[in-house]
Short mmCIF file of all heavy atoms in Angstrom, two decimals:
data_model
loop_
_atom_site.label_atom_id
_atom_site.label_comp_id
_atom_site.label_asym_id
_atom_site.label_seq_id
_atom_site.Cartn_x
_atom_site.Cartn_y
_atom_site.Cartn_z
N GLU B 1 6.23 13.99 -15.28
CA GLU B 1 5.58 12.71 -14.76
C GLU B 1 5.90 12.55 -13.30
O GLU B 1 7.03 12.67 -12.89
CB GLU B 1 6.06 11.53 -15.62
CG GLU B 1 5.33 10.22 -15.19
CD GLU B 1 5.92 9.01 -15.92
OE1 GLU B 1 6.71 9.23 -16.91
OE2 GLU B 1 5.71 7.91 -15.52
N ASP B 2 4.88 12.21 -12.53
CA ASP B 2 5.04 11.96 -11.12
C ASP B 2 5.86 10.67 -10.92
O ASP B 2 5.54 9.64 -11.48
CB ASP B 2 3.71 11.88 -10.38
CG ASP B 2 2.83 13.08 -10.56
OD1 ASP B 2 3.47 14.22 -10.43
OD2 ASP B 2 1.69 13.00 -10.76
N GLN B 3 6.90 10.77 -10.07
CA GLN B 3 7.75 9.59 -9.85
C GLN B 3 8.20 9.50 -8.41
O GLN B 3 8.47 10.52 -7.73
CB GLN B 3 9.02 9.74 -10.69
CG GLN B 3 8.97 8.81 -11.93
CD GLN B 3 10.30 8.77 -12.60
OE1 GLN B 3 11.06 9.75 -12.65
NE2 GLN B 3 10.69 7.63 -13.15
N VAL B 4 8.25 8.29 -7.95
CA VAL B 4 8.78 7.99 -6.58
C VAL B 4 9.86 6.93 -6.80
O VAL B 4 9.64 5.88 -7.35
CB VAL B 4 7.72 7.49 -5.62
CG1 VAL B 4 8.29 7.09 -4.32
CG2 VAL B 4 6.56 8.47 -5.47
N THR B 5 11.11 7.27 -6.37
CA THR B 5 12.29 6.38 -6.60
C THR B 5 12.92 6.12 -5.25
O THR B 5 13.22 6.95 -4.46
CB THR B 5 13.30 7.02 -7.54
OG1 THR B 5 12.65 7.44 -8.75
CG2 THR B 5 14.39 6.12 -7.79
N TYR B 25 11.40 11.95 -4.63
CA TYR B 25 10.12 12.13 -5.33
C TYR B 25 10.06 13.40 -6.22
O TYR B 25 10.64 14.40 -5.84
CB TYR B 25 8.92 12.16 -4.35
CG TYR B 25 8.95 13.26 -3.35
CD1 TYR B 25 8.26 14.46 -3.57
CD2 TYR B 25 9.62 13.13 -2.15
CE1 TYR B 25 8.29 15.48 -2.68
CE2 TYR B 25 9.69 14.19 -1.28
CZ TYR B 25 8.97 15.34 -1.50
OH TYR B 25 9.02 16.41 -0.60
N THR B 26 9.43 13.22 -7.36
CA THR B 26 9.20 14.39 -8.25
C THR B 26 7.78 14.30 -8.55
O THR B 26 7.31 13.52 -9.46
CB THR B 26 10.06 14.33 -9.51
OG1 THR B 26 9.86 13.03 -10.08
CG2 THR B 26 11.54 14.56 -9.22
N VAL B 27 6.93 15.02 -7.81
CA VAL B 27 5.54 15.05 -8.02
C VAL B 27 5.00 16.41 -7.98
O VAL B 27 5.61 17.36 -7.41
CB VAL B 27 4.79 14.22 -6.88
CG1 VAL B 27 5.24 12.79 -6.88
CG2 VAL B 27 5.05 14.85 -5.52
N SER B 28 3.88 16.58 -8.65
CA SER B 28 3.27 17.92 -8.67
C SER B 28 2.15 18.02 -7.58
O SER B 28 1.10 17.42 -7.71
CB SER B 28 2.63 18.15 -10.06
OG SER B 28 1.77 17.00 -10.39
N GLY B 29 2.56 18.64 -6.47
CA GLY B 29 1.57 18.77 -5.39
C GLY B 29 1.53 17.61 -4.50
O GLY B 29 0.71 16.72 -4.65
N LEU B 30 2.49 17.55 -3.51
CA LEU B 30 2.55 16.47 -2.51
C LEU B 30 1.56 16.72 -1.40
O LEU B 30 1.65 17.79 -0.75
CB LEU B 30 3.97 16.32 -2.05
CG LEU B 30 4.18 15.15 -1.05
CD1 LEU B 30 4.05 13.86 -1.79
CD2 LEU B 30 5.48 15.29 -0.33
N ALA B 90 3.82 8.34 -2.28
CA ALA B 90 3.45 9.74 -2.33
C ALA B 90 1.97 9.81 -2.58
O ALA B 90 1.43 9.15 -3.48
CB ALA B 90 4.24 10.54 -3.32
N LEU B 92 -0.77 12.52 -3.89
CA LEU B 92 -0.78 13.80 -4.58
C LEU B 92 -2.07 14.58 -4.11
O LEU B 92 -3.07 14.01 -3.71
CB LEU B 92 -0.84 13.61 -6.06
CG LEU B 92 0.25 12.69 -6.61
CD1 LEU B 92 0.10 12.63 -8.15
CD2 LEU B 92 1.64 13.16 -6.19
N SER B 94 -4.03 15.87 -6.07
CA SER B 94 -5.04 15.68 -7.00
C SER B 94 -5.87 14.41 -6.83
O SER B 94 -6.83 14.24 -7.53
CB SER B 94 -4.44 15.64 -8.46
OG SER B 94 -3.46 14.65 -8.55
N ASN B 99 1.07 6.51 -4.62
CA ASN B 99 1.99 6.20 -5.69
C ASN B 99 3.26 5.60 -5.06
O ASN B 99 4.07 6.36 -4.48
CB ASN B 99 2.30 7.37 -6.54
CG ASN B 99 1.06 7.95 -7.20
OD1 ASN B 99 0.62 7.49 -8.16
ND2 ASN B 99 0.54 9.02 -6.50
N PHE B 100 3.45 4.31 -5.19
CA PHE B 100 4.52 3.64 -4.46
C PHE B 100 5.86 3.64 -5.26
O PHE B 100 5.83 3.63 -6.49
CB PHE B 100 4.17 2.23 -4.19
CG PHE B 100 3.20 2.00 -3.09
CD1 PHE B 100 1.83 1.98 -3.29
CD2 PHE B 100 3.71 1.80 -1.77
CE1 PHE B 100 0.97 1.78 -2.20
CE2 PHE B 100 2.76 1.66 -0.70
CZ PHE B 100 1.45 1.61 -0.94
#
Side-chain angles (χ1 to χ4, degrees):
Chain B
E1 183 186 346
D2 299 319
Q3 257 190 325
V4 178
T5 305
Y25 60 93
T26 51
V27 299
S28 49
L30 181 72
L92 309 181
S94 58
N99 300 279
F100 284 89

